[in-house]
Amino acid sequence: MTITRFAPSPTGHLHVGHALAAWVAREEADRHGGVMLLRHEDLDRERCREEYYDRIEEDLRWLGIHWQGRPWRQSDRHDTYIVAMQRLIELDVLYPCFCTRREIAQELSAMGQAPQQDDGMNPAVYPGTCRNLSEKSRRERIQAGDAHAWRLDSSQAAELAGALTFFDHRAGTITVDPHLLGDVIMARKDIGASYHLAVVVDDAAQQVSLVTRGDDLLGSTHVHRLLQNLLGLPEPEYLHHVLVCDENGKRLAKRHDALALRQMRNTGLNAADVLGMIRRLHEKSGSA
Ligand code: GLU
């Protein structure tokens, strides 16, 4: 049976871009006679606000997009992420990273690279500073209580996993490039897990068979396939759909208040208008 999911972060109101993502997940589930799940990706407690969980669910109900079962919250699942982290540490594919953001930015600028693109979504690849620390200095710094994240050593991971692919319903079979995003973070200093780790663990735990999401996350799928392989988890299929963009061709952000579903509803639009708009966008983009 096909299982899809919509996985918003409760850090703001849903806007029309989220509505498209939710609708695609619902459509794909319906098309295959399957179910759609809802998962609140709320690892970053500082950015999430309690009121947004309910508002997300309210907005989805208003759109007529229903989900199966009780929504999951990633903040309830830390114990499971710790088990996955331990497994990766045992496999020797992680290393502790003590760098601050500032140090990374300095290192990158010394290498002549900008730390990230202007939408903040695509951080430059980590320069690998802590990959080269000796075992001894790692141990000493951890014992001294130095705050550290854990990064995936993409070379070690690639070697262990071997050649991999994933199947995307729009793009077909894609060969995994384990170095595409570099040595990504598996556990943040402050949180103990990362988006990549939590998504992979949860998609497997919820038996998601078709991951639908915006094509801004296509790069992340390369990391996710690697992790699925290392953790011995099943491989879902993917559908990366186009994003809704603003008038300047930029992807919608939470600051686009005018396109918040709540705002649209207040200005008199009804759910059918919004869904019609989404469907047209989707068809125009050839996502179907
Ligand atoms: N939580 C992510 C977001 O809000 C979506 C992650 C995913 O679908 O894998 O964009």
Side-chain angles (χ1 to χ4, degrees):
M1 178 173 63
T2 297
I3 302 182
T4 66
R5 78 331 187 249
F6 174 53
S9 294
T11 54
H13 291 127
L14 291 190
H15 57 56
V16 68
H18 295 110
L20 173 65
W23 179 80
V24 171
R26 182 69 262 165
E27 270 289 292
E28 289 300 317
D30 287 347
R31 195 199 322 215
H32 301 285
V35 299
M36 180 192 111
L37 308 174
L38 175 62
R39 184 171 73 226
H40 293 291
E41 301 213 321
D42 59 348
L43 282 180
D44 191 340
R45 304 301 295 153
E46 296 215 334
R47 293 181 56 230
C48 295
R49 291 235 305 269
E50 198 51 44
E51 74 229 51
Y52 291 130
Y53 297 87
D54 286 345
R55 298 215 174 141
I56 286 172
E57 294 178 22
E58 249 172 60
D59 284 346
L60 290 176
R61 280 193 206 98
W62 176 70
L63 283 172
I65 296 179
H66 56 279
W67 61 93
Q68 184 103 349
R70 199 171 59 82
W72 280 28
R73 291 186 177 202
Q74 288 189 324
S75 55
D76 292 335
R77 298 187 34 79
H78 276 287
D79 293 353
T80 318
Y81 306 142
I82 290 171
V83 173
M85 278 297 293
Q86 277 161 351
R87 175 85 190 115
L88 294 174
I89 290 174
E90 277 161 26
L91 290 174
D92 205 18
V93 292
L94 301 186
Y95 61 85
C97 172
F98 303 91
C99 294
T100 60
R101 266 177 214 219
R102 195 165 160 185
E103 284 164 345
I104 297 174
Q106 279 166 353
E107 179 91 21
L108 288 169
S109 90
M111 293 162 68
Q113 281 182 43
Q116 58 189 17
Q117 290 182 358
D118 62 356
D119 62 0
M121 277 306 291
N122 292 305
V125 167
Y126 174 66
T129 324
C130 287
R131 191 192 311 129
N132 305 318
L133 291 178
S134 68
E135 267 315 315
K136 182 166 170 281
S137 96
R138 282 177 184 162
R139 238 186 348 260
E140 281 170 4
R141 292 185 70 170
I142 291 176
Q143 270 163 11
D146 272 11
H148 59 280
W150 287 93
R151 289 187 181 271
L152 184 69
D153 184 324
S154 53
S155 301
Q156 300 265 70
E159 202 177 301
L160 206 60
L164 296 170
T165 58
F166 59 89
F167 182 72
D168 179 272
H169 284 220
R170 274 173 78 210
T173 300
I174 297 181
T175 301
V176 169
D177 174 359
H179 305 293
L180 188 66
L181 301 190
D183 290 356
V184 288
I185 291 195
M186 287 294 107
R188 280 172 45 167
K189 284 182 185 168
D190 52 342
I191 294 177
S194 69
Y195 158 69
H196 298 299
L197 183 80
V199 152
V200 163
V201 167
D202 287 349
D203 282 338
Q206 294 191 285
Q207 298 179 310
V208 171
S209 59
L210 176 58
V211 173
T212 63
R213 60 185 175 203
D215 60 12
D216 54 331
L217 289 169
L218 186 61
S220 298
T221 303
H222 291 250
V223 178
H224 298 178
R225 267 304 289 133
L226 206 51
L227 290 176
Q228 284 150 8
N229 180 279
L230 296 171
L231 294 168
L233 302 174
E235 174 190 350
E237 293 187 353
Y238 290 87
L239 171 63
H240 294 92
H241 58 80
V242 290
L243 299 175
V244 183
C245 291
D246 69 8
E247 61 286 357
N248 302 317
K250 287 219 166 147
R251 146 196 133 91
L252 286 191
K254 299 230 159 87
R255 62 180 182 276
H256 287 88
D257 287 344
L259 294 170
L261 296 179
R262 190 153 292 259
Q263 189 83 7
M264 295 171 109
R265 178 153 87 224
N266 291 342
T267 57
L269 279 175
N270 60 39
D273 298 329
V274 177
L275 287 174
M277 193 165 116
I278 288 165
R279 207 168 278 137
R280 279 193 300 279
L281 278 167
H282 190 62
E283 276 157 15
K284 207 166 84 190
S285 72
S287 273

